[in-house]
Amino acid sequence: MPTLDFETLWLPAEQAYSLSLKNLGTGAIRGFRLCFSGSCQVDATAVAEGGTVGRTLSTFTELLPPEGFVLEPGATWTITIKGLGFALQHWTDGARGAYLAFDDGSTLALTTSPTQRMGGNAAPKRGVEPFPVPANAPVPVSVIPWPNHVAVSGRNAVPPGLTLVTDGAKATAAATAFTRLVEALFAVEGIVRPAEEGGMPVHLHRRDGFAAEAYEVTFSPGSVTIAASTETGLFYGLVTLGQVLRGARHFPQTYSFPAEGRIADVPAMGWRGLHLDVARQFYGEAEIKRLLAILAWNKLNRFHWHLSDDEAWRVEIDAYTALTEVGAWRGHGLAIPPLLGTGPERSGGYYTKAAIREIVAYGREIGIEIVPEIDVPGHCHALQQAIPDLRDPQEKGSYFSVQGFPDNCLNPAREKTYEVMETILRELIELFPFRTIHIGADEVPIGAWSGSPEALAKLRAIGGDAMAEAHAKRLNVITNTHGADAIEGSGAAALQALFLERVQKFLAAEGCITGGWQEAAHGNVIDKEATYLCGWRDVAVSAALAGEGYSMVVCPGQAYYLDMAHSPDWDEPGASWAGASTPEATYAFDPIAGWSAAQKEKLRGVQACIWSEPMLDRAVFDRLVFPRLSAIAETGWTQPEHKSWERFRASAGLMPALYS
């Protein structure tokens, strides 16, 4: 077996990416291609020195040495690429996985270290940034998100745990859910324990008069009482009490377990969510369940589950088994090649219907409703690999998405498109009882369907000859850079509107609310009373859409996209296209700055978004997500006048992370 050293180097002055392969073995190596993937893309117009660029697909690239090249023992082959889709900004942008593909069909995986940058490197940052609990905090108890009324005093002896005493079915269900939650997050701490083990009595009472998620915690020297009108309210009261207990137990010099007083609380916003992309990187059932537990500990109540994209299809659909047989996997020689750092081996996965039912039930138990997303009509490369007859058989030429996928959009002019969509959606509706289905609608390329006779005929019928002829001229024009959502008024927007109107009407007839990214507003055809939009571009765009009557969940990329790096520094992981945001900046961000009173009437709430391109390394996940997730949770729950960065940072280190 050959022994090789593989290194990569970013040359910022030259805007070039250099990859070097050194033969450390005793035999010559010939007849190979170097294949790599990461977050970076190599453009179709890229040029290479020392070899040539072969096949590319989004973040997958093949590099070919010169014809007849032989890598002799001790020799190094270097190939330098100019023309990446974007300049590398962070160590996670470069190659994360690489291998050699030989002419005989075999492969050899290469050990891939983080890309170095010419001009200086610090050690790559991974894992949660430490937030030490100080000796003195601005408040007597540790709670995130901070409650809206806290009036407590005195110091009780910190109890070993809590003995939950219930007076009815809702209280019992809340106690059961909380017990399961703390066992999942803090298994050895014994937060819930019987009186025989020293547990302090906690009396749970269902009482009328509270808002749906509101609660009240009352402290007395020998016991605690929690009151709420709903099971979720009682559960959230227990979460607050559990946080108070952990703070006082682990940092008694800083935080107390009150002897008396009261905490009264109600959320500022009804929708407090997290979006997770499981298409770019796959997360197993155990990871999803622990993540849901962390959401509940942060009093987040919506999980937006991004189940499909160009890179993969992740949900079992009985009617189309190829979706998971083909679309859930990638690797060398498969329909989907290695992407985003995966290697030549078959990798990926999907969620069975049984697993989804278990996850949905667990989420509902701890106050979380789950919204599935199937991203259409764009972002459908994986779907089309599994069901190839969705494409117009007479379509010619190509268009490219901003992520570098060719011809990745479902054709709105084909009846087969709706047959497949409605079949898939019916199976999804059966799995997700919240009856809110997100259909994406983002980043359709402006050249989409420009080579499809069926689409052009439909466009001619709905938009006239001039629009159809103008759209046909976009054929084979590279449109995968800049302005990915700037399609308003184009033929692509008109065709997408046709698709969205029909799919949204189908969902409404099935009793469902339709979710979409902000691009779903193109054409202004969807029923605003049965739809909500996720505003990802910036606060001004979300405000404008709210002014047009759309119900909005605000998730601006510059602050609430948790794949964005903490800073522009090379040693930080993550992306940078929307900027950088430290935990403090995320905490301070006002998602409705400048909104009018009328616009605020259309606000559903806020949502953090995790896009998984840089998340192959799970320590990168932890660094990027925590504590920024808690910062957004507090914005969704706590009234602005009660927010305090100094108070928040004093408790942030007590909040759980997914892996660390």
Side-chain angles (χ1 to χ4, degrees), residues 185-358:
L185 291 176
F186 317 108
V188 300
E189 294 191 21
I191 291 175
V192 175
R193 62 178 67 198
E196 294 81 359
E197 294 184 10
M200 172 179 277
V202 178
H203 300 277
L204 276 70
H205 298 300
R206 199 207 71 79
R207 197 169 72 208
D208 292 336
F210 290 89
E213 297 176 298
Y215 65 88
E216 180 182 79
V217 180
T218 305
F219 294 90
S220 60
S223 65
V224 178
T225 300
I226 298 177
S229 296
T230 65
E231 177 185 330
T232 301
L234 292 168
F235 173 77
Y236 283 154
L238 284 167
V239 169
T240 291
L241 182 60
Q243 290 190 16
V244 169
L245 174 62
R246 293 194 75 244
R249 173 188 290 175
H250 292 293
F251 295 93
Q253 79 283 4
T254 304
Y255 295 116
S256 64
F257 193 92
E260 57 185 3
R262 174 174 167 267
I263 295 174
D265 207 5
V266 63
M269 301 181 189
W271 185 293
R272 306 176 306 280
L274 173 71
H275 159 284
L276 178 66
D277 156 31
V278 299
R280 274 57 179 262
Q281 310 290 353
F282 182 66
Y283 303 78
E285 180 181 352
E287 292 171 286
I288 298 297
K289 285 182 177 177
R290 178 168 170 83
L291 182 60
L292 290 179
I294 291 171
L295 299 192
W297 197 251
N298 284 272
K299 300 188 179 77
L300 292 164
N301 65 356
R302 299 289 183 267
F303 179 54
H304 177 164
W305 202 357
H306 189 91
L307 290 165
S308 78
D309 217 296
D310 292 304
E311 291 84 353
W313 181 278
R314 302 296 192 197
V315 55
E316 181 179 36
I317 299 295
D318 294 335
Y320 303 108
T321 58
L323 284 170
T324 48
E325 292 168 353
V326 175
W329 308 98
R330 52 189 184 240
H332 182 74
L334 300 183
I336 304 172
L339 297 168
L340 296 165
T342 54
E345 70 284 352
R346 180 176 182 263
S347 65
Y350 65 93
Y351 306 100
T352 66
K353 288 189 169 183
I356 288 173
R357 290 188 181 100
E358 172 66 24

Side-chain angles (χ1 to χ4, degrees), residues 446-469:
I446 198 168
W449 313 296
S450 54
S452 163
E454 292 179 2
L456 292 172
K458 179 65 71 173
L459 188 57
R460 195 177 302 277
I462 64 174
D465 292 345
M467 178 175 278
E469 289 166 10

Side-chain angles (χ1 to χ4, degrees), residues 95-174:
R96 308 294 302 282
Y99 64 96
L100 297 187
F102 293 97
D103 292 347
D104 64 3
S106 64
T107 61
L108 175 65
L110 300 172
T111 300
T112 308
S113 300
T115 293
Q116 298 290 295
R117 182 187 59 173
M118 180 68 75
N121 293 272
K125 291 180 179 177
R126 304 166 68 251
V128 179
E129 181 179 348
F131 276 77
V133 175
N136 297 292
V139 290
V141 292
S142 174
V143 183
I144 292 176
W146 186 248
N148 282 288
H149 174 82
V150 180
V152 295
S153 61
R155 276 183 174 266
N156 231 332
V158 181
L162 309 171
T163 299
L164 309 184
V165 183
T166 64
D167 66 356
K170 291 185 183 297
T172 299

Side-chain angles (χ1 to χ4, degrees), residues 238-521:
L238 284 167
V239 169
T240 291
L241 182 60
Q243 290 190 16
V244 169
L245 174 62
R246 293 194 75 244
R249 173 188 290 175
H250 292 293
F251 295 93
Q253 79 283 4
T254 304
Y255 295 116
S256 64
F257 193 92
E260 57 185 3
R262 174 174 167 267
I263 295 174
D265 207 5
V266 63
M269 301 181 189
W271 185 293
R272 306 176 306 280
L274 173 71
H275 159 284
L276 178 66
D277 156 31
V278 299
R280 274 57 179 262
Q281 310 290 353
F282 182 66
Y283 303 78
E285 180 181 352
E287 292 171 286
I288 298 297
K289 285 182 177 177
R290 178 168 170 83
L291 182 60
L292 290 179
I294 291 171
L295 299 192
W297 197 251
N298 284 272
K299 300 188 179 77
L300 292 164
N301 65 356
R302 299 289 183 267
F303 179 54
H304 177 164
W305 202 357
H306 189 91
L307 290 165
S308 78
D309 217 296
D310 292 304
E311 291 84 353
W313 181 278
R314 302 296 192 197
V315 55
E316 181 179 36
I317 299 295
D318 294 335
Y320 303 108
T321 58
L323 284 170
T324 48
E325 292 168 353
V326 175
W329 308 98
R330 52 189 184 240
H332 182 74
L334 300 183
I336 304 172
L339 297 168
L340 296 165
T342 54
E345 70 284 352
R346 180 176 182 263
S347 65
Y350 65 93
Y351 306 100
T352 66
K353 288 189 169 183
I356 288 173
R357 290 188 181 100
E358 172 66 24
I359 289 167
V360 168
Y362 179 55
R364 300 196 105 185
E365 180 184 0
I366 56 177
I368 300 167
E369 296 287 2
I370 299 181
V371 177
E373 179 185 352
I374 299 300
D375 201 350
V376 290
H379 289 281
C380 285
H381 179 77
L383 187 157
Q384 290 177 323
Q385 298 307 299
I387 311 177
D389 60 345
L390 288 175
R391 185 174 164 94
D392 179 351
Q394 303 303 315
E395 188 167 358
K396 59 184 179 180
S398 283
Y399 57 88
F400 290 86
S401 74
V402 69
Q403 289 83 14
F405 287 95
D407 312 316
N408 71 332
C409 300
L410 298 183
N411 195 319
R414 307 209 80 210
E415 195 59 31
K416 178 73 171 179
T417 295
Y418 303 102
E419 174 191 325
V420 170
M421 277 302 306
E422 291 176 8
T423 300
I424 290 171
L425 290 171
R426 283 193 182 95
E427 293 197 29
L428 275 184
I429 292 166
E430 188 271 330
L431 288 171
F432 293 95
F434 189 47
R435 301 189 82 79
T436 300
I437 309 294
H438 199 288
I439 58 171
D442 62 315
E443 296 185 330
V444 167
I446 198 168
W449 313 296
S450 54
S452 163
E454 292 179 2
L456 292 172
K458 179 65 71 173
L459 188 57
R460 195 177 302 277
I462 64 174
D465 292 345
M467 178 175 278
E469 289 166 10
H471 195 59
K473 292 178 182 178
R474 298 190 187 279
L475 184 62
N476 292 332
V477 176
I478 295 175
T479 59
N480 66 326
T481 55
H482 313 298
D485 58 332
I487 66 170
E488 188 66 50
S490 70
L495 288 166
Q496 178 186 247
L498 187 77
F499 173 89
L500 294 176
E501 182 177 27
R502 180 159 171 180
V503 172
Q504 189 262 314
K505 284 182 176 178
F506 167 80
L507 286 170
E510 296 289 324
C512 294
I513 296 294
T514 299
W517 299 102
Q518 65 188 47
E519 293 95 320

Side-chain angles (χ1 to χ4, degrees), residues 574-587:
S576 57
W577 61 263
S581 185
T582 63
E584 183 175 3
T586 297
Y587 183 85

